Amino acid sequence: MAIILVTGGAGFIGSHACLRLLETGNEIISLDSYVNSSKNVFKAINKICELKGINHELIKIYECDILDKKSVEDIFQNSINNNKEIQGVIHFAGLKSVKESEANPHKYWEVNFGGTLNLLKVMKNFNCRKLVFSSSATIYGETNKFPIAEDSQIKPINPYGKTKAAVEQLLLDIYNSEPNKWSITNLRYFNPVGSHHSGLIGEDPKGVPNNLFPIICKVANGEIEKLEIYGCDWPTIDGTGIRDYIHIEDLVEGHKKALELMFSEKKTSYRCINLGCGHGVSVLEMVKTFEKANNCRIKKVFEPRREGDVAKTYADISLAKKILGWKPKRSLYDVCKDGWKWAKTNPNGY
Ligand code: NAD
Ligand code: WQD
C-alpha cells in the first residue's frame, strides 16, 4: 500500500476518496484550507473507520492553502521526518463553480492553475512524481458527437473549464520534461452525485449549491420550495437537459484503480481518462427516480434555460474499462437512495 497526499481531502470527492483509500490499506495525508468544506468531515470518516475496524490514525490532516508553497513544503518535509514519505498525490483542491468562475476568473486561475503549479514544484523538489488530477468534462465544451471520448476536441467555454484544460496542458509539459520520472493521470469527471452508502459522509457545499442533485435534496427536505428546471425545450427525449451522473463511490473507485495502476506498472505514464456512467439521464428522469427511490414528491417548475448550459453530455468510458479495469456498479436509484440518506440525516451538513 502507499502513503498518499490528498489535496482537497475534506471536500465532497476528496473525503470519499480518503475513506476508500483508507479502506484499502493506504495511509492518507489530507491538505485542505476548508474554504468549501468542514474539518468535521474527518469525525465522520473516523466513525466509519471505527465501524469497519480501520485504524483512523492512518490519516493525518493539515489545514493548508495550496497557494502557500512553504506550508505545502512543510507537509512533505514532516512526512519525511515521520518516516512516512509521500509516494503519490491525488489533487482535488480547487474551485469548481462555473458561475463563480465567470465573476471571479482571477481567483479561479490563481487557485486552480497557480495552486497546481505550486504543488508540482514541491512534488519535484521532494522527488514525488505520481499524480492523479481532478479534471472535468467541462473541458470538452459543446459537442454534437456522443458519447464523448477522450480524443474529443478540448474547447472549454467558461473560465473554470479553461483552468482545467490549462492544468492538463501544464501536466503534459511536466511529463514531457521528465518522461522517465512522472506518472500523471487526468481523470475527467462528468457529474459526480450521491453520497457514501453509510449516510455519514456526503456533499456539503458552503453557500447555495448550483448543482441539480443537492438542490433536489434541499427541495425534498423543505429547505427550498421547488426545483426550477432550466429549460423544457432542449432537443432531448423530454426537453430537459441530459447529463452523465456517476455515483460518488464509483468515482472514487476509479481513483483507487488509477493509483493502483500507477504503482504497479514498471513504466511511467501520462493518461487522460473519462469517469462517468456512459449514458445520459434527463432532469425529469433524475426527479422521477429520486421520487421513486425515496417515496416523495419533488415540487418543480419550468424556467428558461440557464446561461452556459448545453443540451446533452455523457461519457464514453471504454478507456476506463480497458485501462483501469473499472466500470460503474451503482445505479441512478442507488445515487438517489444514498444521496437522500445523507441529506435527510444531515440537513445542515457536518
Ligand atoms: P469541493 O469544493 O467539495 O472540494 C474541493 C476542496 O478543495 C474543498 O474541501 C476546498 O476547501 C478545497 N480547496 C479549495 N481551494 C483550496 C486551496 N486554495 N487550498 C487548499 N484547499 C482548497 O469540490 P469537489 O466536488 O470535491 O471537487 C473536487 C475536485 O474535482 C475539484 O478540483 C473540482 O474542480 C473537480 N471536479 C468536480 C466535479 C463535481 O461536479 N463535483 C466535476 C468535475 C471535476
Ligand atoms: C445538471 C442539469 C441543468 C440545477 C456542473 C459543472 C461542471 C461539473 C459538474 C465541475 C443541467 C439542470 C440544474 C437546477 C436544473 N462541475 N439543473 N435546475 O451544469 O452539468 O455541471 O457540475 O467540474 O463543471 O458545470 O451540473 O448539476 O448544475 O446541472 O434544471 O436548479 O440539471 O440545466 O441540465 P452541470 P448541474
Side-chain angles (χ1 to χ4, degrees):
M1 292 307 140
I3 298 167
I4 304 295
L5 170 67
V6 180
T7 75
F12 169 42
I13 305 174
S15 55
H16 286 78
C18 285
L19 178 61
R20 187 64 190 128
L21 293 174
L22 284 169
E23 282 175 340
T24 46
N26 299 282
E27 292 200 39
I28 300 301
I29 295 156
S30 168
L31 175 162
D32 204 308
S33 65
Y34 309 122
V35 72
N36 196 37
S37 53
S38 163
K39 197 175 175 180
N40 292 335
V41 66
F42 296 110
K43 289 181 188 157
I45 290 177
N46 289 348
K47 190 167 173 193
I48 299 171
C49 287
E50 271 158 40
L51 293 171
K52 289 174 175 268
I54 299 165
N55 175 2
H56 59 72
E57 273 150 26
L58 293 175
I59 183 164
K60 186 160 182 50
I61 58 179
Y62 288 92
E63 181 168 357
C64 167
D65 189 320
I66 198 132
L67 294 173
D68 176 354
K69 188 161 173 282
K70 176 71 179 64
S71 299
V72 180
E73 282 167 346
D74 291 346
I75 291 173
F76 276 79
Q77 189 56 57
N78 290 346
S79 305
I80 291 174
N81 299 345
N82 298 332
N83 207 11
K84 297 202 184 279
E85 186 171 354
I86 294 169
Q87 295 163 304
V89 178
I90 306 187
H91 180 33
F92 293 110
L95 305 175
K96 63 164 178 176
S97 164
V98 167
K99 201 165 121 188
E100 193 190 51
S101 78
E102 279 153 352
N104 295 301
H106 61 284
K107 202 164 104 181
Y108 272 68
W109 279 99
E110 184 181 38
V111 173
N112 290 359
F113 189 82
T116 306
L117 204 51
N118 250 5
L119 174 67
L120 290 166
K121 286 176 187 170
V122 176
M123 286 178 71
K124 183 174 178 178
N125 293 344
F126 284 88
N127 193 28
C128 174
R129 288 182 167 81
K130 286 184 172 64
L131 174 72
V132 173
F133 171 61
S134 281
S135 192
S136 168
T138 315
I139 67 173
Y140 293 122
E142 293 188 88
T143 179
N144 50 20
K145 259 185 73 188
F146 300 100
I148 300 176
E150 287 81 354
D151 60 358
S152 301
Q153 201 184 11
I154 306 293
K155 47 185 174 67
I157 55 172
N158 53 64
Y160 165 71
K162 288 175 188 170
T163 67
K164 290 294 184 180
V167 168
E168 284 200 13
Q169 283 306 304
L170 168 64
L171 293 173
L172 181 58
D173 287 349
I174 296 286
Y175 171 75
N176 287 331
S177 69
E178 296 181 305
N180 301 324
K181 291 188 176 177
W182 286 91
S183 285
I184 295 171
T185 300
N186 298 313
L187 294 179
R188 295 171 178 173
Y189 320 152
F190 280 68
N191 291 63
V193 283
S195 302
H196 187 259
H197 61 274
S198 65
L200 295 172
I201 61 173
E203 189 167 10
D204 177 27
K206 287 191 172 165
V208 180
N210 299 314
N211 292 130
L212 177 68
F213 192 78
I215 288 171
I216 288 178
C217 290
K218 288 187 181 295
V219 173
N221 69 25
E223 206 177 316
I224 294 177
E225 192 216 339
K226 57 182 177 292
L227 172 67
E228 296 178 348
I229 298 181
Y230 300 138
C232 58
D233 58 351
W234 292 100
T236 62
I237 187 168
D238 58 20
T240 62
I242 287 179
R243 296 293 185 273
D244 180 329
Y245 298 100
I246 175 170
H247 194 295
I248 183 71
E249 290 193 75
D250 283 328
L251 186 83
V252 297
E253 194 63 23
H255 287 72
K256 176 178 118 8
K257 292 273 191 184
L259 269 181
E260 284 169 352
L261 177 60
M262 242 181 228
F263 280 96
S264 63
E265 57 192 353
K266 298 279 174 286
K267 60 182 179 44
T268 58
S269 60
Y270 178 85
R271 299 185 176 107
C272 299
I273 300 177
N274 287 339
L275 288 183
C277 260
H279 60 262
V281 166
S282 76
V283 177
L284 285 176
E285 284 167 331
M286 173 67 90
V287 171
K288 216 174 292 170
T289 308
F290 190 94
E291 290 176 330
K292 188 165 165 235
N294 301 308
N295 189 24
C296 66
R297 298 291 303 147
I298 296 296
K299 208 169 161 214
K300 53 189 177 291
V301 65
F302 289 107
E303 294 292 337
R305 296 180 179 185
R306 178 174 66 176
E307 186 66 31
D309 267 357
V310 295
K312 176 169 71 172
T313 173
Y314 62 93
D316 176 339
I317 56 173
S318 46
L319 208 54
K321 289 179 180 174
K322 182 167 163 253
I323 293 183
L324 302 180
W326 167 91
K327 63 179 182 181
K329 293 186 181 131
R330 296 158 182 91
S331 66
L332 189 67
Y333 189 92
D334 296 328
V335 163
C336 294
K337 207 94 182 121
D338 295 341
W340 177 233
K341 186 174 178 183
W342 152 259
K344 83 178 166 207
T345 43
N346 303 276
N348 301 315
Y350 293 107

